[in-house]
Amino acid sequence: MSEKAENLSLSNEDQNETVIYGPVPTEEDWRDLPEVADDVPKSAYLVILIEFCERFTYYGLSGPFQNYIQFPAPPSYPADQAGAMGKGQQTATALSTFFQFWCYITPIFGAIVADQYLGKYKTILLFSIIYFVGLVILTLTSIPSAIDSGASFPGFIVSIIIIGLGTGGIKSNVSPLVAEQYTSKSPFVRTLKNGKRVIVTPQATYQRIFNIFYWGINIGSLSNIATTELEKNVGFWPAYFLPTIVFIPAIAIVLLGRNIYVQNPPRGSVFIEAGRIFRFSWKVKGGLEACKPSALAISNPDLLSHATWDDVFVDELKRALNACVVFCWYPIYWLCYAQMTNNLISQAGTMLVGNVPNDIMQNIDAIALIICIPLMDNLVYPFLRRIGIPMRPIFRITCGFFFAAVAMGYTAGIQAMIYNTPPYFDNPTGPNWISAAYQIPSYVFIAFSEIFASITGLEYAYKKAPQSMKSIVMALFLFSNCIASVLAFALVSVTVDPKLTWMYAGISIACGVATVLFYICHYKNDVNDAENDAIGVADRKTAVAEASKELSASEA
């Protein structure tokens, strides 16, 4: 094989790009035919099943964290209020926030391991084993004798550090892996059994894949219901033992499906190449565009021999950087979302919840998502595409930010009602006489925000990243949640009564302002969405064709 052909050898995904699935849409087709999603590959469902088991474990064990840390151990079970450490709300919120922070900074490490060294599959397998070790430590240090001896607190700290490392390595790779199972990169015309012609697009298909992926996440998150009931009625050790057992099938599915998944090997030098491009951009005038080999050949031929990339890689890198600019707005959104896992749980503890645990309320979010995601994917989005309103990513993210702001504004109102209700008013050392049912709209609004902002963020991170940087760009998207945890740390001092109303109101106002500014700054990205997604597809096909011709000629 010639050197040129060898350098242009295709990964699995590149090979699939050459497959013709149907006629290329004409301008008339784009004008007259509806845009639809393709069928989701079976291997993608297998990856979704892995994520279901991992999320079942993650939410099942993290759901009881607030009570586990905040309240002291009850004399017996069933308990009116489950607890173990008795460290108070501020410590509980701080530690649960640290856990979120850690879980969203470790994906960067997992992404580097995958993109640079092991590939996504082997990285997921490695970090699954690390994850399991942390689960065992958490379960063993939550047994009654460990709690009585004081071992639960140090055990908890060690376990969340190990679990956070494990989940980070999985999170940055499992969502790109599920999207990689769909290998078509270009739109095509398909004739349905009823004779109707439609345009099948990667944009609509990825939207469907990530909707199903997120739906699987929220099915798994219902483990909260089981673990919070176990925590209240039996104790914390069975609440943590259940997620530990369920994680075992996740490891088994990873192992058994190794010959089924579409796997793209690690590129190896991607970070070195990106660093060289940035250094070149400081040496030459014109920024990244001037770093393309075609531009260097004209303006700086002396530097051309040092360029180990092609024009397409520069275009893809620019696209990835533009996506990362969009992610800079996400921390304020995740700050709204994070209230659901700590302060809203504590808020429910100051309300009348009947015979159910206060931390079971957060499952309303998951139930709303399980109902609404299929409705959006099968009814709302297809209808909007049929009438020519495809709801491109930036518009969907803007809607998500808006609903998050509404959720926090509503929560501020509920908190004010709690403070105005007897018997404890603004010093609720026990439940005030107000029903926790008032919290339901808060969780529903958060669910709506996730449909538009969180799912679309996963989709956007995958679509806008170069093939060699899928995991790292996904990790940078998840890192925005880490920044939100830092912001949450700054708010710990006001997570006390009677300051909570103003805290929720302030977060709502900040997110509302971010919503407007975000759309003003980025709405033009929707106009070029499909065009940007196509960067590299046609150019790589042309390059491969030329290399193949050269190879054939040399063999002849």
Side-chain angles (χ1 to χ4, degrees), residues 60-74 77 81-89 91-93 95-96 99 134-160 163 227-228 230-232 235-241 341-342 345-346 357-359 362:
L61 65 90
S62 62
F65 276 0
Q66 191 79 2
N67 287 345
Y68 187 55
I69 305 164
Q70 180 173 349
F71 299 105
Y77 288 95
Q81 177 60 67
M85 303 181 198
K87 300 291 184 179
Q89 181 175 346
T91 301
T93 300
L95 284 175
S96 62
F99 181 63
L135 291 171
V136 172
I137 294 173
L138 178 66
T139 303
L140 292 178
T141 55
S142 65
I143 60 177
S145 59
I147 294 173
D148 293 339
S149 66
S152 59
F153 185 69
F156 178 77
I157 299 299
V158 172
S159 64
I160 63 173
I163 290 169
T227 56
T228 52
L230 285 170
E231 147 208 339
K232 181 180 176 67
F236 284 95
W237 73 266
Y240 294 143
F241 181 69
T341 60
N342 43 53
I345 294 174
S346 297
N358 62 307
D359 46 8
Q362 61 188 305

Side-chain angles (χ1 to χ4, degrees), residues 119-181:
K120 298 178 185 66
Y121 171 79
K122 290 181 179 179
T123 302
I124 290 173
L125 181 59
L126 171 64
F127 282 89
S128 295
I129 296 170
I130 294 172
Y131 198 133
F132 188 73
V133 172
L135 291 171
V136 172
I137 294 173
L138 178 66
T139 303
L140 292 178
T141 55
S142 65
I143 60 177
S145 59
I147 294 173
D148 293 339
S149 66
S152 59
F153 185 69
F156 178 77
I157 299 299
V158 172
S159 64
I160 63 173
I161 290 173
I162 297 174
I163 290 169
L165 180 62
T167 193
I170 296 172
K171 283 178 73 69
S172 59
N173 293 293
V174 71
S175 48
L177 183 63
V178 73
E180 284 179 358
Q181 306 311 301

Side-chain angles (χ1 to χ4, degrees), residues 239-552:
Y240 294 143
F241 181 69
L242 176 63
T244 302
I245 292 299
V246 172
F247 193 72
I248 295 174
I251 301 176
I253 295 167
V254 174
L255 287 170
L256 295 175
R258 63 187 179 276
N259 296 322
I260 300 174
Y261 309 125
V262 174
Q263 298 181 45
N264 293 304
R267 177 161 173 168
S269 64
V270 60
F271 300 105
I272 297 174
E273 287 190 355
R276 286 174 179 169
I277 291 174
F278 290 134
R279 287 197 298 272
F280 269 45
S281 68
W282 299 331
K283 296 179 181 179
V284 301
K285 294 181 178 179
L288 293 179
E289 191 68 23
C291 296
K292 291 181 176 180
S294 60
L296 291 173
I298 299 172
S299 61
N300 294 276
D302 56 314
L303 296 176
L304 181 60
S305 61
H306 300 287
T308 57
W309 54 88
D310 56 18
D311 288 7
V312 175
F313 183 76
V314 176
D315 284 333
E316 290 177 331
L317 184 60
K318 288 166 59 181
R319 184 180 65 181
L321 291 174
N322 288 334
C324 291
V325 172
V326 170
F327 302 156
C328 289
W329 296 88
Y330 265 84
I332 188 63
Y333 166 74
W334 291 125
L335 182 62
C336 297
Y337 173 85
Q339 304 310 306
M340 179 181 69
T341 60
N342 43 53
N343 287 318
L344 277 174
I345 294 174
S346 297
Q347 185 188 69
T350 65
M351 306 172 79
L352 299 176
V353 294
N355 294 321
V356 299
N358 62 307
D359 46 8
I360 205 170
M361 295 295 294
Q362 61 188 305
N363 291 286
I364 295 169
D365 169 75
I367 294 170
L369 284 165
I370 290 167
I371 295 170
C372 293
I373 288 176
L375 293 176
M376 295 295 294
D377 186 55
N378 294 299
L379 296 177
V380 178
Y381 287 144
F383 171 75
L384 291 174
R385 284 195 290 264
R386 280 198 300 272
I387 62 175
I389 307 175
M391 283 195 77
R392 297 297 180 194
I394 297 300
F395 182 71
R396 278 183 275 147
I397 294 170
T398 303
C399 292
F401 286 6
F402 170 76
F403 280 115
V406 172
M408 289 300 99
Y410 176 84
T411 304
I414 296 304
Q415 190 65 54
M417 290 175 61
I418 293 171
Y419 287 157
N420 288 317
T421 303
Y424 300 104
F425 295 98
D426 62 357
N427 185 31
T429 54
N432 281 340
W433 297 335
I434 179 173
S435 173
Y438 281 106
Q439 280 194 324
I440 292 175
S442 292
Y443 288 108
V444 172
F445 284 133
I446 291 173
F448 287 162
S449 77
E450 290 179 72
I451 290 172
F452 291 113
S454 184
I455 298 176
T456 307
L458 293 171
E459 173 193 336
Y460 202 76
Y462 178 81
K463 291 197 309 177
K464 304 305 178 185
Q467 177 55 43
S468 55
M469 297 178 69
K470 294 293 187 188
S471 292
I472 190 64
V473 174
M474 186 64 69
L476 291 173
F477 167 66
L478 297 172
F479 181 72
S480 64
N481 209 317
C482 176
I483 298 174
S485 296
V486 174
L487 296 176
F489 269 122
L491 293 175
V492 167
S493 62
V494 295
T495 57
V496 293
D497 299 309
K499 301 177 181 178
L500 291 169
T501 300
W502 294 109
M503 185 200 71
Y504 292 127
I507 295 173
S508 175
I509 293 169
C511 192
V513 172
T515 301
V516 176
L517 294 178
F518 174 80
Y519 189 73
I520 291 173
C521 293
H522 299 290
Y523 74 94
K524 291 182 180 178
N525 290 16
D526 278 349
V527 178
N528 303 317
D529 180 56
E531 180 182 341
N532 287 337
D533 290 347
I535 287 176
V537 175
D539 293 331
R540 291 199 190 282
K541 286 181 182 178
T542 301
V544 170
E546 290 176 354
S548 299
K549 288 179 182 178
E550 180 182 318
L551 178 61
S552 299

